Amino acid sequence: MNEIEDNSAEKTNTLKRKIELDSEDELIRQYVFEKKKKSPEPESKNKKEKEVTLDNEQTNKNQEKENVNVKTPDSESKKETSKFIGKNKLVQGKLTFKTLEQKSLNCKKEKAKMLDENKTENIIETEISSDEFKIENYLKDPEWKQLLDDEFNKKYFIEINQKIKPGYDKGINRPPKELVFNALNTTKLNDIKVVVIGQDPYHNDGQAHGLSFSVPVGKALPPSLKNIFTELKSDIPDFKRDEKLGGCLQKWAERGVFLLNAFLTVEAHKAGSHSKFGWDIFTDRVIKVISEKNSGCAFMLWGNFAQKKESLIDKKRHKVLKCAHPSPFSVTRFYGSKCFSQANEYLKSIGKDPIDWNLI
């Protein structure tokens, strides 16, 4: 009885092995077919080598099947066993192909992600590169920098940087980058006693250095500055000026005279060329800060342009002095304004030291 059971078990195992070989054979054929259909070999040599390998595998499997020398159980049992094993193999085959397809899809997604990350890095690098020029980096005074920090992140100021960068790259903008904020870097907020508002910097070579109406030592006097000195001599009889200093008003700035242009840059030899860049938004904010944070300042508004800034000034806290512009076109109305002596009288009236207007 045990011998019969052993023989039966052996026959069943042998049959299963044979069916497995048949199923594996079919799966190999399916795999080769799918492989050829999806990814045909570009080179005939490699293709032939693979076909030879598959033929060898097929021959070995056929030999293994022929060496199996057993009697099969009844046809019904064989049919059920074949059905079960075949279905199992097909399911495994489908899962294998699905797994391969899923892996392929995941690989594509991963590559796409890597490409996107690479693009993002390139964009970030480009943005960093384009942001290297920041004119606000030349504002060195820590108090002014803190008070105006919000302005630098606003759209209009970002656009200012974009607009003035090409001119500075070409070397055609005035003043030099380092002197754009000369007025703010020289005169601290709490030291301001007098504010003189100009329009835009001198546009001829070597004239502009970040202070309204002022030119560096050694430069010829512009017409407006000549007229200012003429009025000073008339207004303050003791006024003295060292000819060696020329038209440099740096000493005034160090004594509390805030020499602010409404537009802080200009293209060489093109007056008013940066007047639409947005600088007036920034300098209006500067005037408001002075009006709000300081007190007892004399604002000299020369000409119609400067006088439009009057609305930014709290006249309960400050003195506004208005007169014509000192340019040759309106100088006759500027003469006799006595704005310098009036400023000093106001400062003394509120207990502040007057400005020393001498340039010696």
Side-chain angles (χ1 to χ4, degrees):
M1 184 69 178
N2 291 335
E3 184 178 351
I4 294 172
E5 289 176 354
D6 291 340
N7 289 337
S8 177
E10 184 179 353
K11 290 176 183 179
T12 302
N13 291 334
T14 303
L15 176 62
K16 287 182 179 180
R17 175 59 179 159
K18 185 176 181 181
I19 293 171
E20 286 175 358
L21 291 171
D22 288 336
S23 298
E24 288 176 4
D25 180 51
E26 181 62 22
L27 286 172
I28 288 171
R29 290 181 181 279
Q30 288 182 12
Y31 179 80
V32 172
F33 175 76
E34 291 292 331
K35 195 73 174 176
K36 286 180 179 179
K37 185 170 69 174
K38 292 182 179 180
S39 304
E41 290 291 334
E43 297 180 7
S44 58
K45 183 178 179 181
N46 292 338
K47 185 175 181 181
K48 288 180 179 179
E49 288 177 356
K50 289 188 177 182
E51 288 177 352
V52 170
T53 302
L54 290 171
D55 288 340
N56 290 337
E57 290 178 358
Q58 182 63 34
T59 302
N60 292 336
K61 291 184 182 296
N62 290 337
Q63 288 177 355
E64 187 175 354
K65 284 192 285 185
E66 290 174 359
N67 291 334
V68 177
N69 188 17
V70 295
K71 293 182 180 180
T72 61
D74 60 278
S75 59
E76 192 67 22
S77 175
K78 176 181 177 181
K79 187 175 181 180
E80 290 296 325
T81 306
S82 176
K83 183 178 179 181
F84 171 78
I85 296 174
K87 185 183 290 185
N88 187 44
K89 285 291 182 180
L90 287 173
V91 169
Q92 289 180 358
K94 288 179 181 179
L95 288 174
T96 301
F97 283 118
K98 282 186 177 180
T99 303
L100 289 172
E101 289 175 356
Q102 186 62 43
K103 285 183 178 179
S104 176
L105 181 61
N106 291 341
C107 183
K108 288 178 181 178
K109 287 181 178 179
E110 188 173 354
K111 286 181 179 179
K113 183 179 178 182
M114 290 172 67
L115 287 171
D116 287 340
E117 289 175 351
N118 188 43
K119 287 179 182 178
T120 302
E121 288 176 359
N122 290 337
I123 291 170
I124 292 172
E125 288 176 1
T126 302
E127 289 176 350
I128 291 172
S129 178
S130 65
D131 284 344
E132 286 178 356
F133 181 88
K134 291 185 176 182
I135 197 65
E136 62 267 30
N137 289 341
Y138 296 96
L139 176 56
K140 302 300 183 181
D141 183 84
E143 184 179 15
W144 277 118
K145 201 172 185 70
Q146 181 181 4
L147 290 168
L148 299 169
D149 187 60
D150 290 344
E151 301 299 309
F152 303 139
N153 297 317
K154 292 180 180 178
K155 182 181 177 182
Y156 84 88
F157 203 93
I158 294 171
E159 290 176 350
I160 287 176
N161 273 315
Q162 294 171 348
K163 291 171 183 176
I164 66 176
K165 182 181 184 299
Y168 277 111
D169 289 343
K170 296 175 183 177
I172 59 175
N173 282 353
R174 306 290 184 266
K177 297 188 293 290
E178 296 79 9
L179 296 176
V180 168
F181 298 105
N182 192 11
L184 289 90
N185 288 331
T186 301
T187 314
K188 295 185 178 298
L189 176 62
N190 291 333
D191 293 338
I192 296 175
K193 297 178 181 179
V194 175
V195 179
V196 179
I197 299 175
Q199 196 160 341
D200 63 344
Y202 294 124
H203 56 81
N204 288 330
D205 294 338
Q207 286 186 316
H209 69 135
L211 302 176
S212 62
F213 297 100
S214 178
V215 292
V217 175
K219 294 295 178 180
L221 298 183
S224 293
L225 189 52
K226 285 182 180 179
N227 295 334
I228 289 171
F229 288 155
T230 300
E231 173 61 19
L232 262 168
K233 289 178 182 178
S234 172
D235 188 19
I236 301 177
D238 294 335
F239 171 70
K240 296 180 180 63
R241 181 174 72 88
D242 186 350
E243 295 291 339
K244 293 179 181 179
L245 292 177
C248 182
L249 306 181
Q250 189 76 31
K251 288 184 178 292
W252 285 4
E254 293 168 359
R255 296 169 189 164
V257 181
F258 193 68
L259 300 167
L260 178 69
N261 278 316
F263 314 121
L264 298 186
T265 60
V266 68
E267 185 176 336
H269 314 299
K270 293 183 179 180
S273 51
H274 292 184
S275 62
K276 304 296 184 183
F277 281 14
W279 274 123
D280 52 328
I281 302 174
F282 177 75
T283 53
D284 281 358
R285 178 58 188 154
V286 172
I287 294 170
K288 285 182 180 179
V289 169
I290 297 171
S291 178
E292 294 168 2
K293 302 290 184 181
N294 207 336
S295 62
C297 296
F299 284 81
M300 293 185 179
L301 306 182
W302 297 342
N304 293 330
F305 178 85
Q307 288 167 19
K308 292 177 182 178
K309 308 296 181 181
E310 184 177 0
S311 61
L312 304 173
I313 303 164
D314 184 351
K315 286 181 281 189
K316 293 180 180 179
R317 296 164 58 88
H318 306 280
K319 180 73 172 179
V320 175
L321 301 171
K322 296 187 289 185
C323 65
H325 194 278
S327 77
F329 301 103
S330 56
V331 68
T332 55
R333 289 180 286 119
F334 176 73
Y335 288 155
S337 62
K338 297 187 179 297
C339 53
F340 302 102
S341 60
Q342 285 189 60
N344 276 351
E345 287 172 6
Y346 169 70
L347 293 173
K348 288 188 287 185
S349 70
I350 59 174
K352 289 187 176 183
D353 293 333
I355 296 294
D356 179 6
W357 296 106
N358 293 313
L359 292 171
I360 53 176

